[in-house]
Amino acid sequence: MKRTKSIACIAFLVVFSLFLGCASPSNRLRNHLLQMEGLIALWDFSEAAGNPRIAQGVAPFSLREMGRLIERVQEGPISGYAAYLQDSAFFSLPHAETGRLNIHGRGQGVTVMAWVNWEGNTGFVGGMWNEYTDGGRRQYGLFVHLPHYNGADQVCGHISYTGKPTPPFPYSSDYSASKQTLAKGAWHFIAFTYDGTYIRSYLDGLFEAREPELIHNTSGFEGLPEGLVQSKNPYHFPDGMGDNGSDFTVGAVVLSRGMGNFFKGKIGGLAVFDRSLSDDEILKINRLTVFN
């Protein structure tokens, strides 16, 4: 009898463990991210509207709602929730509170990743990127849809050393752009990495290289009568990241007219690492991602 009860108990524990494993894919994703080397911050956007969104990682970085309350919806791969950004709303963390999010230096790596359901138009997802103050305080940032320099409907990873536009152009052209395009109204895992030399953009866990191509809006400038030809993925940028004084924002950046490049859609998670993740690491994160 005791042997039968022991076997029954063991069987129950095995079945219960399997049930938990199947029932909580978001826990597996979260736990994996929190155990990874170099994680600085992970936001799961589980907090209700009206509350700051608090990061897990090296410090409880607190994103404040700006513009209006930001609705929480019951979707997302990490907490089962997402922030729904619309009507010019965004999140902000003042520069004085950025701490280790202020990633910079020559040879310094960075990775920014997010889980998004994008509804269209140019949108800033997250990072330290200010295009106007003092001529620009650009540093690093994850965007979707930057068509001006061949990034239409694509994942774009921006890096700047000076904080200012890319000479001789009026804007910064120093970004990678995924070869693949995002579908509007669908969930995607997006990311970019920078290893101090190359910026790489990823869509749904995959990096796809782009052949050198003529970059839109670069012809007719001094020294470039025919325009600039280069690869957008990976994008060669050996200058490094500047320490340029930007706030950390999610969903918008500072432009000459005020806040702009508003992300329209849902963000179900955002993570920042102070190193460049490998292709295999990003692919594994995508495999652990289950959209609810």
XYZ file of all heavy atoms in Angstrom, residues 127-214:
711
model
N 14.782 53.882 -25.870
C 16.202 54.182 -25.824
C 16.456 55.615 -25.400
O 15.563 56.307 -24.891
N 17.689 56.062 -25.604
C 18.105 57.428 -25.269
C 18.353 58.165 -26.581
O 19.420 58.035 -27.187
C 19.349 57.397 -24.375
C 19.102 56.660 -23.061
S 20.509 56.617 -21.923
C 20.630 58.347 -21.452
N 17.349 58.916 -27.017
C 17.392 59.494 -28.370
C 16.634 60.809 -28.379
O 15.423 60.839 -28.272
C 16.782 58.517 -29.369
C 17.148 58.811 -30.795
C 16.411 59.475 -31.723
C 18.363 58.449 -31.438
N 17.080 59.545 -32.917
C 18.295 58.916 -32.769
C 19.513 57.774 -31.026
C 19.332 58.724 -33.682
C 20.542 57.579 -31.932
C 20.451 58.054 -33.245
N 17.351 61.910 -28.523
C 16.797 63.260 -28.551
C 17.367 63.936 -29.794
O 18.582 64.136 -29.894
C 17.190 63.998 -27.266
C 16.744 65.448 -27.223
O 16.723 66.140 -28.241
N 16.410 65.917 -26.044
N 16.505 64.274 -30.750
C 16.970 64.764 -32.042
C 17.088 66.279 -32.130
O 17.467 66.792 -33.184
C 16.042 64.256 -33.154
C 16.019 62.751 -33.269
C 15.368 62.263 -34.543
O 14.999 63.104 -35.386
O 15.242 61.037 -34.704
N 16.794 67.003 -31.065
C 16.720 68.452 -31.206
C 17.536 69.238 -30.177
O 18.285 70.153 -30.541
C 15.259 68.902 -31.135
C 15.089 70.399 -31.259
C 15.373 71.054 -32.458
C 14.663 71.165 -30.176
C 15.241 72.431 -32.575
C 14.519 72.536 -30.288
C 14.799 73.175 -31.483
O 14.670 74.522 -31.584
N 17.403 68.951 -28.907
C 18.003 69.773 -27.860
C 19.511 69.919 -28.069
O 20.225 68.936 -28.254
C 17.735 69.153 -26.474
O 16.320 68.956 -26.340
C 18.213 70.075 -25.363
N 20.004 71.163 -28.041
C 21.432 71.463 -28.216
C 21.991 70.897 -29.512
O 23.161 70.529 -29.586
C 22.250 70.933 -27.031
C 21.801 71.517 -25.709
O 21.398 72.686 -25.691
O 21.846 70.789 -24.693
N 21.166 70.830 -30.538
C 21.613 70.287 -31.811
C 21.493 68.787 -31.905
O 21.836 68.194 -32.932
N 21.012 68.160 -30.842
C 20.813 66.715 -30.846
C 21.551 66.026 -29.719
O 22.720 66.308 -29.451
N 20.836 65.138 -29.030
C 21.434 64.338 -27.969
C 21.186 62.848 -28.232
O 20.902 62.079 -27.333
C 20.847 64.735 -26.609
C 21.167 66.177 -26.196
C 20.606 66.493 -24.828
N 20.927 67.847 -24.422
C 20.579 68.378 -23.250
N 19.872 67.654 -22.390
N 20.909 69.606 -22.950
N 21.299 62.487 -29.482
C 21.097 61.094 -29.867
C 22.151 60.196 -29.215
O 23.294 60.586 -29.044
C 21.179 60.964 -31.387
C 20.172 61.795 -32.164
C 20.581 61.833 -33.633
N 19.637 62.514 -34.496
C 19.646 63.823 -34.744
N 20.547 64.612 -34.149
N 18.767 64.362 -35.568
N 21.762 58.955 -28.908
C 22.698 58.014 -28.300
C 22.438 56.590 -28.810
O 23.241 56.057 -29.550
C 22.591 58.077 -26.781
C 23.768 57.496 -26.030
C 23.873 58.049 -24.622
O 23.622 59.249 -24.386
N 24.252 57.218 -23.681
N 21.318 55.988 -28.413
C 20.922 54.694 -28.965
C 19.401 54.598 -28.930
O 18.762 55.146 -28.030
C 21.560 53.518 -28.217
C 21.078 53.326 -26.786
C 19.956 52.542 -26.490
C 21.752 53.914 -25.721
C 19.523 52.371 -25.181
C 21.331 53.752 -24.401
C 20.216 52.971 -24.137
O 19.785 52.805 -22.851
N 18.825 53.912 -29.913
C 17.366 53.815 -29.925
C 16.853 52.781 -30.907
O 17.424 52.579 -31.982
N 15.763 52.142 -30.523
C 15.074 51.152 -31.352
C 13.840 51.800 -31.969
O 12.984 52.339 -31.252
C 14.680 49.945 -30.497
C 13.840 48.842 -31.160
C 14.606 48.193 -32.311
C 13.447 47.791 -30.118
N 13.748 51.743 -33.288
C 12.629 52.318 -34.043
C 11.965 51.242 -34.891
O 12.551 50.197 -35.186
C 13.121 53.394 -35.021
C 13.527 54.710 -34.428
C 14.773 54.864 -33.826
C 12.693 55.819 -34.511
C 15.167 56.093 -33.312
C 13.085 57.055 -34.015
C 14.318 57.188 -33.412
N 10.766 51.565 -35.367
C 10.168 50.845 -36.491
C 9.799 51.880 -37.552
O 9.362 52.983 -37.231
C 8.916 50.034 -36.087
C 9.302 48.847 -35.218
C 7.883 50.881 -35.371
N 10.059 51.515 -38.806
C 9.659 52.315 -39.972
C 10.383 53.665 -40.017
O 9.838 54.700 -39.621
C 8.148 52.531 -39.984
C 7.644 53.233 -41.217
N 7.785 52.719 -42.485
C 6.996 54.427 -41.366
C 7.244 53.560 -43.362
N 6.771 54.599 -42.709
N 11.609 53.643 -40.536
C 12.359 54.870 -40.822
C 12.636 54.892 -42.329
O 13.710 54.481 -42.786
C 13.674 54.897 -40.028
C 13.545 55.088 -38.526
C 14.917 54.965 -37.849
C 12.925 56.453 -38.185
N 11.684 55.368 -43.127
C 11.794 55.237 -44.584
C 12.792 56.182 -45.247
O 13.206 55.925 -46.382
C 10.372 55.536 -45.058
C 9.795 56.434 -44.000
C 10.392 55.950 -42.706
N 13.184 57.265 -44.586
C 13.984 58.301 -45.249
C 15.305 57.752 -45.782
O 15.765 58.143 -46.856
C 14.240 59.454 -44.287
C 14.661 60.717 -44.975
N 13.780 61.518 -45.671
C 15.875 61.327 -45.077
C 14.421 62.562 -46.175
N 15.703 62.464 -45.832
N 15.925 56.850 -45.032
C 17.191 56.243 -45.452
C 17.054 54.712 -45.530
O 17.847 53.967 -44.955
C 18.323 56.625 -44.498
C 18.598 58.116 -44.412
C 18.454 58.794 -43.200
C 19.018 58.851 -45.522
C 18.718 60.156 -43.094
C 19.277 60.211 -45.426
C 19.130 60.863 -44.211
O 19.393 62.223 -44.113
N 16.003 54.240 -46.226
C 15.833 52.815 -46.570
C 15.462 51.931 -45.381
O 15.939 50.802 -45.262
C 17.099 52.256 -47.241
C 17.433 52.912 -48.560
O 17.255 54.116 -48.731
N 17.935 52.144 -49.504
N 14.562 52.417 -44.524
C 14.105 51.591 -43.416
C 12.599 51.466 -43.338
O 12.047 51.292 -42.250
N 11.905 51.508 -44.480
C 10.436 51.491 -44.476
C 9.882 50.159 -43.985
O 10.280 49.095 -44.463
C 9.913 51.775 -45.886
N 8.974 50.219 -43.016
C 8.289 49.037 -42.468
C 9.260 48.039 -41.843
O 8.943 46.850 -41.720
C 7.458 48.329 -43.542
C 6.326 49.195 -44.066
O 5.823 50.046 -43.307
O 5.949 49.031 -45.240
N 10.423 48.506 -41.435
C 11.467 47.615 -40.947
C 11.869 47.944 -39.514
O 11.539 49.017 -38.981
C 12.684 47.690 -41.884
C 12.392 47.081 -43.249
C 13.155 47.742 -44.382
O 13.542 48.894 -44.303
N 13.338 47.003 -45.467
N 12.561 47.006 -38.881
C 13.142 47.214 -37.552
C 14.432 48.000 -37.727
O 15.298 47.609 -38.526
C 13.460 45.866 -36.871
C 14.027 46.100 -35.467
C 12.230 44.983 -36.816
N 14.577 49.103 -37.000
C 15.735 49.973 -37.177
C 16.445 50.218 -35.843
O 15.806 50.589 -34.857
C 15.304 51.311 -37.785
S 14.510 51.158 -39.402
N 17.752 50.023 -35.848
C 18.564 50.281 -34.667
C 19.493 51.451 -34.904
O 20.363 51.407 -35.779
N 19.307 52.518 -34.128
C 20.028 53.776 -34.313
C 21.126 53.915 -33.261
O 20.899 53.677 -32.075
C 19.052 54.940 -34.123
C 18.885 55.828 -35.316
N 19.939 56.295 -36.072
C 17.770 56.382 -35.865
C 19.469 57.085 -37.030
N 18.159 57.152 -36.927
N 22.312 54.356 -33.698
C 23.426 54.663 -32.799
C 24.024 55.999 -33.212
O 24.127 56.309 -34.393
C 24.520 53.577 -32.857
C 23.992 52.234 -32.351
C 25.751 53.993 -32.053
C 23.724 52.172 -30.869
N 24.432 56.809 -32.224
C 25.112 58.074 -32.513
C 26.244 58.300 -31.522
O 26.115 57.967 -30.341
C 24.128 59.244 -32.430
O 24.791 60.477 -32.654
N 27.325 58.856 -32.016
C 28.420 59.255 -31.123
C 28.348 60.749 -30.798
O 28.446 61.158 -29.650
C 29.780 58.925 -31.739
C 30.918 59.273 -30.799
C 31.190 58.478 -29.694
C 31.692 60.413 -31.001
C 32.206 58.802 -28.809
C 32.716 60.745 -30.128
C 32.967 59.938 -29.032
O 33.959 60.271 -28.149
N 28.115 61.579 -31.822
C 28.104 63.030 -31.612
C 26.784 63.531 -31.048
O 26.720 64.611 -30.464
C 28.360 63.765 -32.929
O 27.253 63.527 -33.822
C 29.656 63.308 -33.576
N 25.709 62.760 -31.246
C 24.373 63.205 -30.866
C 23.689 64.017 -31.942
O 22.509 64.361 -31.814
N 24.394 64.312 -33.022
C 23.891 65.231 -34.046
C 23.628 64.484 -35.353
O 23.883 63.282 -35.457
C 24.907 66.358 -34.241
C 25.216 67.077 -32.920
C 26.108 68.265 -33.110
C 26.513 68.887 -31.775
N 25.404 69.047 -30.827
N 23.083 65.179 -36.366
C 22.854 64.533 -37.659
C 24.152 63.992 -38.264
O 25.255 64.409 -37.901
C 22.264 65.658 -38.517
C 21.680 66.618 -37.543
C 22.577 66.570 -36.342
N 24.014 63.084 -39.219
C 25.157 62.506 -39.920
C 25.591 63.448 -41.037
O 24.813 63.702 -41.967
C 24.777 61.150 -40.541
O 24.268 60.293 -39.516
C 25.978 60.506 -41.200
N 26.797 64.005 -40.989
C 27.244 64.872 -42.078
C 27.278 64.116 -43.406
O 27.651 62.942 -43.432
C 28.662 65.272 -41.653
C 28.707 65.021 -40.167
C 27.813 63.848 -39.930
N 26.863 64.730 -44.506
C 26.388 66.108 -44.658
C 24.866 66.213 -44.638
O 24.314 67.197 -45.132
C 26.917 66.464 -46.044
C 26.787 65.168 -46.814
C 27.057 64.066 -45.815
N 24.188 65.219 -44.072
C 22.735 65.134 -44.186
C 22.023 65.904 -43.069
O 22.615 66.201 -42.035
C 22.302 63.659 -44.169
C 23.059 62.798 -45.129
C 23.690 61.636 -44.707
C 23.158 63.156 -46.466
C 24.392 60.843 -45.594
C 23.863 62.358 -47.373
C 24.487 61.208 -46.935
N 20.737 66.200 -43.275
C 19.991 66.937 -42.243
C 19.564 66.073 -41.062
O 19.195 66.595 -40.014
C 18.760 67.447 -43.000
C 18.558 66.465 -44.116
C 19.940 66.043 -44.511
N 19.609 64.730 -41.235
C 19.187 63.815 -40.175
C 20.271 62.776 -39.944
O 21.235 62.685 -40.714
C 17.870 63.109 -40.552
C 16.802 64.037 -41.056
C 16.381 63.983 -42.388
C 16.222 64.986 -40.219
C 15.398 64.844 -42.867
C 15.234 65.850 -40.690
C 14.838 65.770 -42.017
O 13.878 66.625 -42.483
N 20.118 61.979 -38.918
C 21.048 60.884 -38.695
C 20.666 59.704 -39.581
O 19.537 59.218 -39.540
C 21.031 60.446 -37.224
O 21.857 59.312 -37.048
N 21.623 59.247 -40.358
C 21.398 58.091 -41.234
C 22.019 56.820 -40.672
O 21.980 55.766 -41.317
C 21.984 58.359 -42.626
O 23.399 58.491 -42.556
N 22.586 56.910 -39.481
C 23.368 55.801 -38.930
C 22.486 54.800 -38.202
O 22.418 54.751 -36.971
C 24.455 56.351 -38.002
C 25.439 57.234 -38.747
O 25.853 56.844 -39.847
O 25.777 58.323 -38.234
N 21.788 54.004 -38.994
C 20.959 52.958 -38.413
C 20.937 51.725 -39.308
O 21.046 51.811 -40.526
C 19.526 53.448 -38.148
C 18.711 53.917 -39.325
C 17.983 53.016 -40.108
C 18.627 55.273 -39.642
C 17.193 53.458 -41.164
C 17.843 55.719 -40.697
C 17.131 54.809 -41.458
O 16.356 55.242 -42.512
N 20.808 50.591 -38.651
C 20.566 49.344 -39.374
C 19.069 49.226 -39.631
O 18.253 49.805 -38.911
C 21.051 48.150 -38.551
O 20.351 48.071 -37.318
N 18.724 48.454 -40.645
C 17.311 48.211 -40.963
C 17.162 46.767 -41.409
O 17.884 46.308 -42.301
C 16.830 49.161 -42.053
N 16.242 46.053 -40.774
C 16.041 44.640 -41.096
C 15.660 44.468 -42.561
O 14.989 45.321 -43.147
C 14.951 44.043 -40.208
O 13.706 44.695 -40.429
N 16.091 43.369 -43.138
C 15.687 43.061 -44.510
C 14.200 42.719 -44.554
O 13.488 43.074 -45.500
C 16.511 41.887 -45.041
C 16.251 41.553 -46.498
C 17.185 40.451 -46.977
C 16.965 40.137 -48.440
N 17.893 39.077 -48.904
N 13.716 42.048 -43.492
C 12.308 41.662 -43.410
C 11.461 42.876 -42.998
O 11.956 43.796 -42.346
C 12.101 40.558 -42.374
C 13.149 39.458 -42.360
C 14.228 39.693 -41.329
O 14.934 40.696 -41.371
N 14.367 38.767 -40.392
N 10.191 42.846 -43.334
C 9.280 43.919 -42.957
C 8.263 43.429 -41.926
O 7.898 42.254 -41.894
C 8.531 44.473 -44.178
O 7.818 43.415 -44.818
C 9.512 45.100 -45.160
N 7.808 44.367 -41.067
C 6.807 44.050 -40.055
C 5.411 44.071 -40.667
O 5.121 44.896 -41.537
C 6.830 45.075 -38.914
C 7.990 45.080 -37.942
C 9.167 45.862 -38.500
C 7.559 45.688 -36.610
N 4.563 43.189 -40.167
C 3.147 43.246 -40.513
C 2.440 44.120 -39.487
O 2.638 43.960 -38.282
C 2.549 41.838 -40.502
N 1.637 45.050 -39.960
C 0.879 45.911 -39.051
C -0.241 45.109 -38.375
O -0.845 44.224 -38.981
C 0.283 47.089 -39.814
C 1.313 48.000 -40.467
C 0.626 49.129 -41.209
C 1.621 50.048 -41.901
N 2.282 49.400 -43.053
N -0.491 45.438 -37.103
C -1.575 44.776 -36.384
C -1.272 43.355 -35.962
O -2.186 42.604 -35.617
N 0.010 42.975 -35.979
C 0.415 41.631 -35.560
C 1.558 41.752 -34.559
O 2.342 42.704 -34.606
C 0.857 40.807 -36.761
N 1.654 40.780 -33.656
C 2.731 40.791 -32.675
C 4.049 40.351 -33.300
O 4.087 39.407 -34.092
C 2.391 39.868 -31.504
C 1.470 40.499 -30.512
C 0.123 40.298 -30.386
C 1.830 41.443 -29.490
N -0.384 41.069 -29.364
C 0.647 41.774 -28.787
C 3.026 42.047 -29.099
C 0.621 42.680 -27.726
C 3.013 42.939 -28.045
C 1.834 43.253 -27.368
N 5.115 41.061 -32.938
C 6.467 40.727 -33.389
C 7.449 40.891 -32.225
O 7.255 41.735 -31.339
C 6.922 41.655 -34.518
C 6.215 41.455 -35.818
N 6.452 40.380 -36.641
C 5.267 42.216 -36.437
C 5.696 40.484 -37.718
N 4.960 41.581 -37.614
N 8.518 40.124 -32.288
C 9.671 40.317 -31.417
C 10.716 41.039 -32.247
O 11.153 40.545 -33.287
C 10.196 38.969 -30.925
C 11.539 39.033 -30.241
C 11.775 39.933 -29.207
C 12.564 38.188 -30.627
C 13.018 39.992 -28.582
C 13.800 38.228 -30.009
C 14.026 39.140 -28.982
N 11.122 42.240 -31.809
C 12.062 43.048 -32.577
C 13.278 43.376 -31.710
O 13.184 43.455 -30.484
C 11.417 44.349 -33.099
C 11.010 45.277 -31.949
C 10.210 44.020 -33.977
C 10.501 46.639 -32.416
N 14.425 43.572 -32.351
C 15.645 43.848 -31.591
C 16.704 44.450 -32.493
O 16.688 44.269 -33.715
C 16.182 42.565 -30.956
N 17.647 45.166 -31.867
C 18.886 45.510 -32.552
C 20.043 45.339 -31.585
O 19.872 45.434 -30.363
C 18.857 46.925 -33.151
C 19.271 48.032 -32.219
C 20.603 48.395 -32.081
C 18.325 48.726 -31.471
C 20.985 49.426 -31.229
C 18.693 49.752 -30.624
C 20.036 50.103 -30.502
N 21.217 45.060 -32.144
C 22.439 44.952 -31.351
C 23.495 45.889 -31.924
O 23.470 46.224 -33.117
C 23.002 43.523 -31.362
O 23.447 43.192 -32.690
C 21.952 42.509 -30.909
N 24.418 46.280 -31.066
C 25.572 47.068 -31.506
C 26.790 46.563 -30.746
O 26.770 46.486 -29.520
C 25.348 48.556 -31.232
C 26.520 49.438 -31.617
C 27.026 49.439 -32.923
C 27.127 50.271 -30.681
C 28.095 50.242 -33.284
C 28.199 51.087 -31.040
C 28.687 51.071 -32.335
O 29.753 51.862 -32.692
N 27.839 46.188 -31.475
C 29.041 45.638 -30.846
C 30.224 46.594 -30.858
O 31.360 46.197 -30.588
C 29.432 44.320 -31.520
C 29.790 44.478 -33.000
O 29.856 45.630 -33.499
O 30.003 43.443 -33.668
N 29.951 47.856 -31.151
C 31.023 48.849 -31.241
C 31.508 49.070 -32.658
O 32.210 50.045 -32.938
N 31.121 48.171 -33.561
C 31.526 48.285 -34.964
C 30.343 48.178 -35.910
O 30.231 48.938 -36.869
C 32.562 47.203 -35.319
O 33.679 47.309 -34.439
C 33.050 47.365 -36.759
N 29.439 47.226 -35.649
C 28.294 47.005 -36.522
C 26.991 47.051 -35.730
O 26.915 46.556 -34.604
C 28.390 45.642 -37.225
C 29.433 45.583 -38.315
C 30.693 45.054 -38.065
C 29.157 46.062 -39.597
C 31.662 44.997 -39.059
C 30.116 46.016 -40.603
C 31.367 45.479 -40.331
O 32.320 45.439 -41.324
N 25.964 47.634 -36.372
C 24.590 47.602 -35.850
C 23.842 46.547 -36.654
O 23.946 46.499 -37.891
C 23.889 48.964 -36.016
C 24.806 50.136 -35.641
C 22.617 49.005 -35.168
C 24.236 51.496 -36.001
N 23.080 45.706 -35.960
C 22.303 44.656 -36.611
C 20.860 44.717 -36.152
O 20.588 44.868 -34.959
C 22.878 43.272 -36.286
C 24.251 43.009 -36.864
C 24.801 41.672 -36.374
N 25.995 41.262 -37.093
C 27.234 41.681 -36.819
N 27.431 42.525 -35.811
N 28.263 41.266 -37.534
N 19.936 44.573 -37.080
C 18.510 44.561 -36.761
C 17.932 43.169 -36.976
O 18.298 42.472 -37.935
C 17.749 45.564 -37.643
O 18.015 46.890 -37.237
N 16.998 42.789 -36.073
C 16.403 41.453 -36.064
C 14.884 41.570 -36.036
O 14.325 42.415 -35.340
C 16.830 40.686 -34.815
C 18.311 40.423 -34.688
C 19.190 41.438 -34.309
C 18.832 39.152 -34.927
C 20.553 41.195 -34.183
C 20.186 38.894 -34.801
C 21.050 39.921 -34.433
O 22.391 39.683 -34.312
N 14.239 40.683 -36.772
C 12.784 40.573 -36.726
C 12.419 39.124 -36.426
O 12.880 38.212 -37.116
C 12.152 41.004 -38.047
C 10.628 40.872 -38.128
C 9.934 41.747 -37.087
C 10.119 41.204 -39.528
N 11.640 38.935 -35.362
C 11.207 37.609 -34.937
C 12.389 36.652 -34.800
O 12.356 35.493 -35.236
C 10.161 37.055 -35.909
C 8.881 37.891 -35.890
O 8.522 38.394 -34.810
O 8.251 38.054 -36.946
N 13.448 37.164 -34.194
C 14.604 36.355 -33.857
C 15.637 36.178 -34.938
O 16.697 35.595 -34.694
N 15.382 36.683 -36.136
C 16.262 36.411 -37.265
C 16.964 37.666 -37.773
O 16.339 38.715 -37.955
C 15.474 35.777 -38.410
C 14.843 34.408 -38.120
C 14.036 33.948 -39.317
C 15.910 33.379 -37.767
N 18.259 37.524 -38.020
C 19.043 38.538 -38.708
C 19.175 38.126 -40.164
O 19.537 36.987 -40.458
C 20.433 38.667 -38.085
C 21.391 39.475 -38.920
C 21.390 40.854 -38.834
C 22.261 38.853 -39.802
C 22.262 41.615 -39.619
C 23.137 39.594 -40.585
C 23.134 40.984 -40.485
N 18.866 39.052 -41.071
C 19.063 38.803 -42.498
C 19.884 39.943 -43.078
O 19.515 41.115 -42.964
C 17.723 38.677 -43.232
C 16.934 37.430 -42.860
C 15.729 37.203 -43.761
O 15.665 37.849 -44.839
O 14.861 36.400 -43.397
N 20.987 39.590 -43.709
C 21.887 40.597 -44.269
C 21.281 41.235 -45.514
O 20.532 40.593 -46.259
C 23.226 39.959 -44.605
N 21.611 42.498 -45.725
C 21.209 43.219 -46.928
C 22.442 43.536 -47.765
O 23.494 43.910 -47.228
C 20.484 44.521 -46.560
C 19.146 44.288 -45.911
C 18.513 45.566 -45.392
N 18.134 46.517 -46.428
C 17.301 47.541 -46.230
N 16.754 47.725 -45.031
N 17.004 48.355 -47.212
N 22.291 43.405 -49.068
C 23.372 43.769 -49.979
C 23.518 45.293 -50.010
O 22.565 46.027 -49.713
C 23.080 43.243 -51.378
C 23.090 41.728 -51.485
C 24.446 41.139 -51.155
O 25.462 41.715 -51.593
O 24.485 40.098 -50.470
N 24.709 45.811 -50.347
C 24.857 47.259 -50.511
C 23.830 47.806 -51.496
O 23.528 47.168 -52.516
C 26.284 47.404 -51.051
C 26.999 46.201 -50.519
C 25.979 45.092 -50.550
N 23.278 48.969 -51.168
C 22.208 49.545 -51.981
C 22.308 51.070 -51.954
O 22.910 51.654 -51.045
C 20.843 49.113 -51.436
C 20.615 49.551 -49.988
C 19.497 48.793 -49.308
O 19.757 47.707 -48.753
O 18.356 49.314 -49.325
N 21.734 51.709 -52.949
C 21.685 53.168 -52.972
C 20.719 53.638 -51.886
O 19.571 53.190 -51.822
C 21.215 53.649 -54.340
C 21.070 55.169 -54.496
C 22.417 55.867 -54.362
C 20.426 55.495 -55.850
